[in-house]
Amino acid sequence: MERLNHKALRLGVPLSVHLDVTYRCNERCEHCYLEHDDLGEMTAPEIRSLLGQLEQSGVFFLTISGGEPLVRRDCFEILEFARSLGFNVKLKTNAILIKEQEARKLRSLGIEQVQISVYSDRSEVHDAITKVPGSLLRTVAAIRFLRGQGLKVVVANVLMKSNFQDSTGVRALAAELGAQFTLDPTITPMLDGGRSPLRFRIAAKEVKSIFRDPNLVGDVEAFCAPPPPVDDEMQEGFPCSAGHTACYISPYGDVYPCVQFPLPCGSVRKETFLNIWRNSSQLREVRSIRGKDLPTCSSCAHLGTCTRCPGLAFMEGNMRGPSSADCEKSFLRTGIFTAGMLARGANSHSVDAHSLVQIEGSQPQAIVAV
């Protein structure tokens, strides 16, 4: 995979695409970054045409998501067509519409992986987050159906204030079901920049506890160690794969570097995907940025180890700037202030033990927990 990614980067191939086929959803999760109205999503023929273009462009890994993709009555037709083109397909779903018949269909199509969000092993907590009574029971039943068909299932546990204490229970539930488990403490702003989901982010002391849990991070001493010295390779490195070997396409055909990087780069309803990928001025700008081109981060001791997201930095106002969330994550992991935090006036007294760092006098920003 490492060699494949390097080759894709060298050749300018969009190896991975995340395609949301709808923003509609049968749940109303309180932390969701999407609006769920249908503002004219692509039709099945449009999606088939797009998939053909993606195949010709060299895309191999295809994530089908939403919203809830299965609310589209033609979802299985889309999946079938995608598999006929040879894509390695991952499906992201809440699974409450999956029963035995649907599980068999997914198995027959050879779907590589099904990722399903489970917020708690307690119905009262999970259902309160999704706003759908009985949703946990239906989701767990679907996971059993999928595992019964031999499908690979990943249980994704997004952490927030209301379910932080339940991660151990969800991990145990995933093990009981024979599913993989992943923990995601990331709460993002709305795609339009709205900050409402951020009120659900977990507090700094809880982030610290995650970073010091060997069941989650492995070798805690190594994970929380001070960053290594910055070298030329770090200065010449790219922030992430967004816009380089991967991109996101919305249900309306709009192309972005990533689902967390809402920089419009073109529309497949107006031009071909390959033309956007090769010639978009926005994507060219994203690709031009290396570590040395980041005014603040290039001088930061964390440059080589920070998980800085250019999309979150963009939502804060500057894709070349620091991401407050990732600055704070690096600090909470190592105890060493980042250049971004110091530039905003951080000091040993500015960290509130009950919330993420808020620097006095800083401008309003879309700050995300981690």
Side-chain angles (χ1 to χ4, degrees), residues 161 201-206 208 351-357:
K161 288 180 179 179
R201 65 191 182 194
I202 59 177
K205 62 179 181 179
E206 294 161 348
K208 282 186 178 181
V351 180
D352 181 348
H354 301 291
S355 62
L356 286 179
V357 178

Side-chain angles (χ1 to χ4, degrees), residues 171-327:
R171 184 165 60 242
L173 176 63
E176 174 196 332
L177 296 169
Q180 297 179 23
F181 172 80
T182 180
L183 191 66
D184 184 1
T186 304
I187 302 293
T188 64
M190 302 286 288
L191 282 186
D192 62 5
R195 293 165 53 89
S196 59
L198 303 186
R199 68 185 185 274
F200 300 109
R201 65 191 182 194
I202 59 177
K205 62 179 181 179
E206 294 161 348
V207 177
K208 282 186 178 181
S209 71
I210 292 172
F211 290 163
R212 285 153 182 81
D213 185 342
N215 293 319
L216 301 177
V217 303
D219 186 340
V220 174
E221 185 175 347
F223 184 76
C224 296
V230 174
D231 57 24
D232 290 343
E233 184 178 355
M234 297 174 190
Q235 292 283 353
E236 293 293 334
F238 297 113
C240 71
S241 63
H244 293 276
T245 59
C247 70
Y248 165 68
I249 305 175
S250 81
Y252 313 122
D254 300 310
V255 179
Y256 302 90
C258 172
V259 69
Q260 288 186 180
F261 197 160
L263 172 68
C265 299
S267 170
V268 297
R269 282 176 156 168
K270 298 178 181 178
E271 55 186 317
T272 66
F273 171 79
L274 192 56
N275 188 53
I276 295 170
W277 181 257
R278 289 178 174 173
N279 302 313
S280 164
S281 60
Q282 294 86 355
L283 285 176
R284 285 179 177 174
E285 181 181 7
V286 170
R287 292 168 188 153
S288 72
I289 301 172
R290 288 167 170 76
K292 64 183 180 182
D293 301 317
L294 306 173
T296 301
C297 302
S298 60
S299 63
C300 184
H302 293 271
L303 179 64
T305 57
C306 180
T307 57
R308 175 187 174 276
C309 173
L312 294 180
F314 172 77
M315 295 181 79
E316 292 185 23
N318 182 4
M319 72 173 76
R320 287 178 170 80
S323 159
S324 298
D326 293 305
C327 280

Side-chain angles (χ1 to χ4, degrees), residues 19 31 40 48 97 133 158 177 315 342 344 348:
L19 171 62
H31 63 291
R48 285 196 295 271
L97 294 177
V158 178
L177 296 169
M315 295 181 79
L342 293 172
R344 299 199 307 275
S348 60

Side-chain angles (χ1 to χ4, degrees), residues 121-175:
D121 57 321
R122 296 181 292 157
S123 293
E124 62 270 23
V125 176
H126 178 96
D127 295 359
I129 292 171
T130 66
K131 312 301 182 189
V132 177
S135 56
L136 178 61
L137 292 177
R138 294 168 67 181
T139 292
V140 169
I143 295 173
R144 294 189 192 279
F145 292 142
L146 293 165
R147 291 296 300 134
Q149 292 298 317
L151 281 157
K152 183 190 300 181
V153 176
V154 175
V155 167
N157 183 206
V158 178
L159 291 186
M160 58 195 91
K161 288 180 179 179
S162 59
N163 71 346
F164 175 74
Q165 300 298 329
D166 293 345
S167 61
T168 299
V170 176
R171 184 165 60 242
L173 176 63

